[in-house]
Amino acid sequence: MFKKLILICSSVILIVFNVNAASDGELILKKNQPAEVKDCFENLNRVTFKFNQALDGVIFQPVASVYKKLPTPVRNGVGNSLDNISNLVTIPNNILQGDFNKAGINTGRFVINTTIGILGLIDVAQHIGLSEYVKEDYGQSLAKLGVGPGCYLVLPVLGPSTVRDTAASFVNVLGGDAWYNVTVKNDTQHFSDVDYYSSRLTSGINFRAKNFDFIENLEKNSLDFYASVKSLYLQDRQQKILNTNAIIDTQDDSDWEEIENQ
């Protein structure tokens, strides 16, 4: 209860600050430019990156190579279901960012797809005119409030991040992610922590499969694979904060943030 109270108070404070926060897109763009994000922990990051590469070779790469051979309707259904779950983080962040219209649309999408769409497997909402889903997270909300990314950070298993986004991800376990609450915290008795961690693992495999060839080619052709991944990740993050597709479109990165922030 105390943690939830802290979250509620923090949310109110963020909303109040959001009214007066600088909304200068150029300032946000500058703060989040890859060249502006320092790699303060580069030596440690490179060690962690190597560990993640080894883990990818043992687990994610072989599993993803099988997963991507599944029929397209199956993979689309899994992706739709994962998007539906991530709505539970996107909706509060729509509100924190003052985008109440999108919050309403995404709430409608979640209700319709969870019920008529069979737990999100079918994106019924898209077919009846509700706009395409765009994920938001607490790191993006902080960025739009003017909080800089801090240093670049590579997390074990979870991969690329920044100090800001890593700190923001803790909001999920403090009550900011309803899916975490009903599974790991077991608020309803209908789900367990296995459901939560299975969804997170599936997200990683789904992302790896969608970007399978791109990642393989990038690793093969990069003089410094670590630097290439860092640059692409930071560009992708900048793009999502600004809600634009103008920066990069060379990969299917629609759920990169799932791996680190949920």
Side-chain angles (χ1 to χ4, degrees), residues 59-60 63-64 67 200-210:
I59 299 177
F60 289 100
V63 174
Y67 175 86
R200 298 282 65 79
L201 178 62
T202 304
S203 293
I205 294 170
N206 187 55
F207 168 77
R208 185 64 171 88
K210 287 196 293 186

Side-chain angles (χ1 to χ4, degrees), residues 84-104:
N84 194 52
I85 292 173
S86 68
N87 251 312
L88 297 173
V89 168
T90 292
I91 293 168
N93 279 285
N94 289 146
I95 295 172
L96 288 175
Q97 293 170 28
D99 200 337
F100 301 107
N101 181 55
K102 284 186 179 178

Side-chain angles (χ1 to χ4, degrees), residues 174-222:
L174 292 176
D177 181 357
W179 179 234
Y180 181 88
N181 295 340
V182 301
T183 52
V184 178
K185 289 187 176 181
N186 202 21
D187 283 355
T188 65
Q189 307 297 320
H190 296 299
F191 301 96
S192 70
D193 54 355
V194 173
D195 297 305
Y196 178 82
Y197 293 115
S198 294
S199 67
R200 298 282 65 79
L201 178 62
T202 304
S203 293
I205 294 170
N206 187 55
F207 168 77
R208 185 64 171 88
K210 287 196 293 186
N211 293 285
F212 194 91
D213 293 334
F214 175 81
I215 292 173
E216 297 299 306
N217 291 332
L218 182 66
E219 182 173 8
K220 179 180 179 181
N221 297 315
S222 294

Side-chain angles (χ1 to χ4, degrees), residues 3-15:
K3 289 181 179 179
K4 290 182 179 179
L5 181 61
I6 291 176
L7 178 67
I8 293 171
C9 292
S10 299
S11 298
V12 171
I13 292 171
L14 284 173
I15 292 173

Side-chain angles (χ1 to χ4, degrees), residues 218-247:
L218 182 66
E219 182 173 8
K220 179 180 179 181
N221 297 315
S222 294
L223 294 176
D224 186 346
F225 187 40
Y226 168 84
S228 296
V229 170
K230 178 179 73 172
S231 178
L232 281 172
Y233 172 77
L234 293 175
Q235 288 181 66
D236 172 74
R237 198 67 180 142
Q238 182 190 41
Q239 176 177 300
K240 287 182 170 63
I241 290 167
L242 296 174
N243 290 326
T244 176
N245 294 318
I247 299 171

Side-chain angles (χ1 to χ4, degrees), residues 107-162:
T107 299
R109 285 180 56 82
F110 178 75
V111 172
I112 292 169
N113 287 342
T114 300
T115 53
I116 303 175
I118 314 173
L119 299 180
L121 290 172
I122 304 171
D123 190 354
V124 177
Q126 180 70 22
H127 295 297
I128 63 174
L130 292 181
S131 58
E132 185 177 355
Y133 177 58
V134 178
K135 298 182 182 70
E136 297 286 346
D137 59 61
Y138 293 101
Q140 288 169 263
S141 293
L142 286 177
K144 290 178 180 178
L145 287 168
V147 178
C151 296
Y152 178 67
L153 197 61
V154 179
L155 302 174
V157 183
L158 303 179
S161 186
T162 62

